[in-house]
Amino acid sequence: MLDVQVDDVGPPADWVKINVRATNDSFEVYALVPGLSLDEVRFQSDPAGRLISTGKPNQLDNFWGVTSFKKVVTLPARIDQLQTHADLTLHGCLHVHVPFVQQNL
């Protein structure tokens, strides 16, 4: 079991589901953000192992009740923020590939 912490910043957004798994060289972060498009979702990372994910629907009064959110995911290791990248599917599945920092041997 990974020691991952997910915190809401501001109003709770329980409709955003986040799951993290570790591979041999990275964390794979999956978030369900249905109803949001690529231009409505942002994420930032820092070397300490934090991912900050935010979403803001272009249309605040929407049929699905999608609201703005900001979540901080604290990962249990240092990460390579320059190699971190994300993809969002048309179905609202956000995938963030987060490589570990490579140690110089």
Side-chain angles (χ1 to χ4, degrees), residues 4-8 16-20 29 71-74:
V4 175
Q5 183 174 338
V6 179
D7 296 306
D8 284 299
V16 177
K17 305 298 183 197
I18 295 178
N19 192 12
V20 180
V29 180
K71 290 190 178 274
V72 177
V73 179
T74 305

Side-chain angles (χ1 to χ4, degrees), residues 18-31 43-46 49-53 73 75 77-88 93-102:
I18 295 178
N19 192 12
V20 180
R21 71 179 184 97
T23 67
N24 290 335
D25 61 353
S26 67
F27 292 109
E28 302 298 326
V29 180
Y30 300 92
F43 83 94
Q44 297 174 303
S45 62
D46 67 29
R50 289 187 312 165
L51 292 177
I52 301 159
S53 180
V73 179
L75 301 167
R78 294 184 58 78
I79 62 172
D80 184 348
Q81 75 182 86
L82 298 177
Q83 297 299 316
T84 297
H85 67 274
D87 297 302
L88 180 67
C93 296
L94 178 67
H95 170 238
V96 186
H97 175 75
V98 187
F100 301 142
V101 169
Q102 297 298 317

